[in-house]
Amino acid sequence: MMSSDACLATWLFVALLLVVPATANDFASASMDQDFPLTSGLNILSVTLVSNQNIQGSQGSAIFFSNLQSVRSEIAVGIEASGSNTGNALFAGVGWEGDLLVLPLKSSQSITQGTTYAFSLVVVNPAISQSAPSISIAANGSGSNTFQGVSSSNLPAYGVDSGGTPLIAFVSQFVPLVDVLNTILIQLKANCDIPAGSVLNVTGEQASELIVLLKSISSGLYKTGSESTDCLQILSDTYSLAYFGDCGIFVNDPGILETVIKFDLSSVNAYTLSFRVLNPDFPQSSPDVAIGGTVVRTDGRGASYFANQLLEKDFSDILGIQAGAQILLVEQTKFSVREIR
């Protein structure tokens, strides 16, 4: 049978459980969205939050974000205004404490309970693709306050599903096919939307391959009246001319064939580039040719680089030459003579 003292202790313990409130989240709501989901690109993380408490800068308070480490190795994180009660007026700066991103309040500023605040963090996406991390937020220090999850709209961006989710990083690349004899025909389809002003490069995987490529197409060069740079004409017999302009320019001697995209390319559609070339007067094997370039942000805040990707070759027979459709494969024309009478 329980003693009266033990019974009293049990009732006191139950009473304490009833009167001591559970720890509440620091924020009634906290959300974060991004506007650029491609690797290595400048990215704006838009933060909106409403606090459950008054957070005083005079007490050395700060806001902490976790799981943003993937942008730590890039350029320093910046902070800028975004709407009312903006971040750059509230915070003394932004920096790292271990793996936490810390925004200390200015000593003269405070975050008022129930008021909506909005600011943006300016970061550079990691150079490799990644899934979106589970980002969390806390206030007044990381030791005594519980981190809570940050929500996101999960809306698409630049044609990437859920591309607005914070720090999802997506490698932009083309999926091309090649068919060539005296015309180089590049068929490509992007896996994200490519804005106008982006740059498309055709190059070689190795320096020696690139030299072979440029030797092969050098006879196809032309100069326009307004251009001082050698150009390779983009043919107008396909709709590619409208999207890519009328010529590709060689840069970086011996060079990369570069063309600027004039109109937005959608991830839904396939596109075609064709160049007229003259094959060299010597036989050669088909070189490895790659496609790459940069994807610009629509607001002009820099670009995202996508790695060179080898063009797939067409191994169809042409004019009786086995696998003659390979890009810039050149065979010597000759007869096999058995006897003269």
Side-chain angles (χ1 to χ4, degrees), residues 53-75:
Q53 58 181 314
N54 294 321
I55 305 173
Q56 304 294 335
S58 59
Q59 299 175 357
S61 299
I63 289 177
F64 295 78
F65 289 99
S66 67
N67 290 333
L68 293 174
Q69 302 95 303
S70 61
V71 299
R72 184 172 181 176
S73 61
E74 305 295 341
I75 65 170

Side-chain angles (χ1 to χ4, degrees), residues 27-239:
F27 297 95
S29 64
S31 65
M32 179 184 290
D33 292 290
Q34 71 177 16
D35 71 341
F36 196 72
L38 306 184
T39 53
S40 302
L42 192 69
N43 193 4
I44 311 299
L45 306 180
S46 300
V47 180
T48 303
L49 54 86
V50 178
S51 178
N52 276 329
Q53 58 181 314
N54 294 321
I55 305 173
Q56 304 294 335
S58 59
Q59 299 175 357
S61 299
I63 289 177
F64 295 78
F65 289 99
S66 67
N67 290 333
L68 293 174
Q69 302 95 303
S70 61
V71 299
R72 184 172 181 176
S73 61
E74 305 295 341
I75 65 170
V77 176
I79 188 169
E80 64 179 32
S82 174
S84 60
N85 300 314
T86 56
N88 61 347
L90 286 171
F91 300 107
V94 58
W96 295 95
E97 288 187 10
D99 288 335
L100 298 178
L101 185 67
V102 183
L103 285 70
L105 282 167
K106 293 179 179 179
S107 59
S108 60
Q109 297 294 326
S110 63
I111 292 178
T112 304
Q113 179 181 5
T115 300
T116 300
Y117 295 84
F119 57 92
S120 297
L121 299 172
V122 184
V123 302
V124 173
N125 286 335
I128 59 175
S129 59
Q130 67 174 24
S131 301
S134 298
I135 300 170
S136 298
I137 187 173
N140 292 342
S142 59
S144 59
N145 293 77
T146 302
F147 277 84
Q148 64 189 86
V150 172
S151 64
S152 172
S153 65
N154 297 320
L155 295 175
Y158 286 81
V160 178
D161 289 341
S162 299
T165 303
L167 297 188
I168 182 174
F170 185 83
V171 177
S172 56
Q173 61 187 7
F174 288 97
V175 185
L177 300 171
V178 170
D179 183 16
V180 59
L181 185 59
N182 286 329
T183 297
I184 298 176
L185 180 66
I186 301 175
Q187 297 172 330
L188 54 90
K189 187 174 185 296
N191 56 5
C192 64
D193 293 341
I194 310 294
S198 299
V199 175
L200 183 66
N201 295 327
V202 180
T203 181
E205 281 290 280
Q206 305 293 332
S208 59
E209 294 166 352
L210 178 58
I211 292 172
V212 172
L213 170 65
L214 295 189
K215 283 182 179 178
S216 301
I217 62 179
S218 60
S219 299
L221 291 175
Y222 79 105
K223 287 186 177 182
T224 65
S226 60
E227 290 281 352
S228 60
T229 306
D230 288 333
C231 296
L232 185 66
Q233 184 176 10
I234 297 176
L235 300 182
S236 58
D237 55 356
T238 68
Y239 64 88

Side-chain angles (χ1 to χ4, degrees), residues 231-285:
C231 296
L232 185 66
Q233 184 176 10
I234 297 176
L235 300 182
S236 58
D237 55 356
T238 68
Y239 64 88
S240 62
L241 188 67
Y243 286 92
F244 299 101
D246 59 358
C247 75
I249 297 175
F250 287 112
V251 295
N252 302 328
D253 190 31
I256 297 171
L257 184 62
E258 177 179 287
T259 183
V260 177
I261 296 171
K262 292 173 62 177
F263 296 97
D264 296 349
L265 305 184
S266 169
S267 59
V268 176
N269 299 322
Y271 301 89
T272 301
L273 271 172
S274 55
F275 300 94
R276 184 74 68 195
V277 300
L278 295 177
N279 287 335
D281 56 4
F282 53 87
Q284 67 176 20
S285 300

Side-chain angles (χ1 to χ4, degrees), residues 273-317:
L273 271 172
S274 55
F275 300 94
R276 184 74 68 195
V277 300
L278 295 177
N279 287 335
D281 56 4
F282 53 87
Q284 67 176 20
S285 300
S286 173
D288 287 331
V289 181
I291 195 168
T294 57
V295 180
V296 300
R297 289 174 50 98
T298 54
D299 59 7
R301 291 176 177 262
S304 171
Y305 298 90
F306 53 93
N308 288 341
Q309 179 184 4
L310 280 177
L311 297 172
E312 297 178 15
K313 296 180 181 180
D314 184 350
F315 291 91
S316 302
D317 297 345

Side-chain angles (χ1 to χ4, degrees), residues 319-339:
L319 299 179
I321 298 176
Q322 186 176 4
Q326 294 181 78
I327 184 170
L328 294 176
L329 171 70
V330 179
E331 291 282 354
Q332 181 71 52
T333 303
K334 58 185 179 182
F335 291 96
S336 177
V337 180
R338 292 179 177 266
E339 59 180 317

Side-chain angles (χ1 to χ4, degrees), residues 15-27:
L16 286 172
L17 288 178
L18 292 174
V19 299
V20 176
T23 302
N25 287 332
D26 294 331
F27 297 95

